[in-house]
Amino acid sequence: MAKIFSIINNKGGTGKTTTTLNLAAALVSQNKRVLAIDLDAQCNLSISFGVKESENHIGLLLTKQDSIDNYISNTEEGVDLITSSADLLDYEHKINNETGREYLLQEVLESIQDKYDFILVDCPPSLSTMALNALVASQYYIVPMQTENFAFIGLDKILDSAAKVNKRLNKGLELGGVLLIKFNDRTKFSQAVMSNLEGNDYLNGKIFKTRIRQDIALMESSAFNSSVLTYAPESRGTEDYLNFSKELLELYG
Ligand SMILES: Nc1ncnc2c1ncn2[C@@H]1O[C@H](COP(=O)(O)OP(=O)(O)OP(=O)(O)O)[C@@H](O)[C@H]1O
Ligand SMILES: [Mg+2]
């Protein structure tokens, strides 16, 4: 049975797509079968994997409730992918009129649970119907958070929404953990963020030990349509995402 993770933060630019791409590639490098789903109209994950916009994207899959097999692309990274579409918001409007609109992703994933070890869903920077679909379909959610900006604004909101999803829509949803991105333990700001997080009872034990350091290779690799593992195997980005995948396997594998 696949473990399903939402990579989510309603704040923009926190490292959701970078984490989905590189965690997926790192898990594949450890012989795990991984499906990644791009649930964002920006299509950054699909582009990062070098997969051109496909007619059979997630918006169509969710509105038609079609057989999922026709919607899965193989990537050069060995990760399977369901692409997004720039028109995803049009599909979201259609979905919003549907009964049980938050359950559509869960429903289409049912038939492929045994084909994968992990399914990672890259969420949009909003708490939209698409993001709710991701949380309803998931056992865990991971919140990538940057320590260099106003990180807490996003964190409170996402924890709050996830708590509501947990109460009303998906009793099985759990916080997988908060992943610190562009972490630099020498800056006062990072230290302040850390002590604040550590003082939060709810997050107790839920901050991943692995921190993702700032690394230009992480920016470059997605622009060159590949994961950092392929683009720069010796980089800090590769080291950090491999360590993160190992920590995740220990905790939830
Ligand atoms: N550890 C890192 N070091 C350097 N740059 C990074 C790192 N993590 C992410 N970035 C860069 O930060 C930018 C935002 O990252 P990313 O696209 O993953 O965020 P996101 O949360 O998916 O954004 P959005 O909310 O728009 O979907 C990208 O240019 C990415 O390459
Ligand atoms: Mg993104």
Side-chain angles (χ1 to χ4, degrees), residues 16-17 40 42 44 122-123:
K16 296 179 286 294
T17 303
D40 185 0
Q42 297 179 99
N44 290 347
D122 181 27
C123 293

PDB file of all heavy atoms in Angstrom, residues 16-17 40 42 44 122-123, ligand 2:
ATOM      1  N   LYS A  16       8.064  23.809  -1.731  1.00  0.00           N
ATOM      2  CA  LYS A  16       7.179  22.637  -1.922  1.00  0.00           C
ATOM      3  C   LYS A  16       7.588  21.833  -3.163  1.00  0.00           C
ATOM      4  O   LYS A  16       7.770  20.614  -3.094  1.00  0.00           O
ATOM      5  CB  LYS A  16       5.717  23.097  -2.108  1.00  0.00           C
ATOM      6  CG  LYS A  16       5.132  23.786  -0.891  1.00  0.00           C
ATOM      7  CD  LYS A  16       3.703  24.246  -1.142  1.00  0.00           C
ATOM      8  CE  LYS A  16       3.571  25.459  -2.047  1.00  0.00           C
ATOM      9  NZ  LYS A  16       4.114  26.699  -1.509  1.00  0.00           N
ATOM     10  N   THR A  17       7.703  22.537  -4.279  1.00  0.00           N
ATOM     11  CA  THR A  17       7.995  21.835  -5.532  1.00  0.00           C
ATOM     12  C   THR A  17       9.410  21.262  -5.518  1.00  0.00           C
ATOM     13  O   THR A  17       9.628  20.110  -5.932  1.00  0.00           O
ATOM     14  CB  THR A  17       7.804  22.804  -6.718  1.00  0.00           C
ATOM     15  OG1 THR A  17       6.465  23.311  -6.663  1.00  0.00           O
ATOM     16  CG2 THR A  17       8.031  22.112  -8.045  1.00  0.00           C
ATOM     17  N   ASP A  40      -0.678  21.976  -9.046  1.00  0.00           N
ATOM     18  CA  ASP A  40      -0.560  23.432  -9.086  1.00  0.00           C
ATOM     19  C   ASP A  40      -0.614  23.921 -10.535  1.00  0.00           C
ATOM     20  O   ASP A  40       0.120  23.412 -11.390  1.00  0.00           O
ATOM     21  CB  ASP A  40       0.779  23.828  -8.442  1.00  0.00           C
ATOM     22  CG  ASP A  40       0.946  25.330  -8.314  1.00  0.00           C
ATOM     23  OD1 ASP A  40       0.038  26.083  -8.727  1.00  0.00           O
ATOM     24  OD2 ASP A  40       1.994  25.760  -7.804  1.00  0.00           O
ATOM     25  N   GLN A  42       0.608  26.398 -11.793  1.00  0.00           N
ATOM     26  CA  GLN A  42       1.902  26.922 -12.272  1.00  0.00           C
ATOM     27  C   GLN A  42       2.699  25.834 -13.001  1.00  0.00           C
ATOM     28  O   GLN A  42       3.655  26.136 -13.713  1.00  0.00           O
ATOM     29  CB  GLN A  42       2.742  27.422 -11.094  1.00  0.00           C
ATOM     30  CG  GLN A  42       2.133  28.587 -10.346  1.00  0.00           C
ATOM     31  CD  GLN A  42       3.020  29.004  -9.170  1.00  0.00           C
ATOM     32  OE1 GLN A  42       3.786  29.949  -9.266  1.00  0.00           O
ATOM     33  NE2 GLN A  42       2.911  28.304  -8.049  1.00  0.00           N
ATOM     34  N   ASN A  44       4.949  23.901 -12.101  1.00  0.00           N
ATOM     35  CA  ASN A  44       6.407  23.894 -11.874  1.00  0.00           C
ATOM     36  C   ASN A  44       6.982  22.487 -11.722  1.00  0.00           C
ATOM     37  O   ASN A  44       8.090  22.215 -12.174  1.00  0.00           O
ATOM     38  CB  ASN A  44       6.749  24.698 -10.605  1.00  0.00           C
ATOM     39  CG  ASN A  44       6.533  26.174 -10.805  1.00  0.00           C
ATOM     40  OD1 ASN A  44       6.363  26.627 -11.933  1.00  0.00           O
ATOM     41  ND2 ASN A  44       6.529  26.931  -9.736  1.00  0.00           N
ATOM     42  N   ASP A 122       2.377  17.563  -4.875  1.00  0.00           N
ATOM     43  CA  ASP A 122       2.876  18.943  -4.807  1.00  0.00           C
ATOM     44  C   ASP A 122       1.681  19.889  -4.863  1.00  0.00           C
ATOM     45  O   ASP A 122       1.000  19.990  -5.879  1.00  0.00           O
ATOM     46  CB  ASP A 122       3.825  19.205  -5.991  1.00  0.00           C
ATOM     47  CG  ASP A 122       4.407  20.610  -5.960  1.00  0.00           C
ATOM     48  OD1 ASP A 122       4.514  21.188  -4.860  1.00  0.00           O
ATOM     49  OD2 ASP A 122       4.760  21.129  -7.046  1.00  0.00           O
ATOM     50  N   CYS A 123       1.425  20.586  -3.754  1.00  0.00           N
ATOM     51  CA  CYS A 123       0.212  21.407  -3.648  1.00  0.00           C
ATOM     52  C   CYS A 123       0.446  22.844  -4.102  1.00  0.00           C
ATOM     53  O   CYS A 123       1.562  23.351  -4.064  1.00  0.00           O
ATOM     54  CB  CYS A 123      -0.261  21.415  -2.193  1.00  0.00           C
ATOM     55  SG  CYS A 123      -0.846  19.792  -1.670  1.00  0.00           S
TER      56      CYS A 123
HETATM   57 MG    MG B   2       5.450  25.005  -6.249  1.00  0.00          MG
END
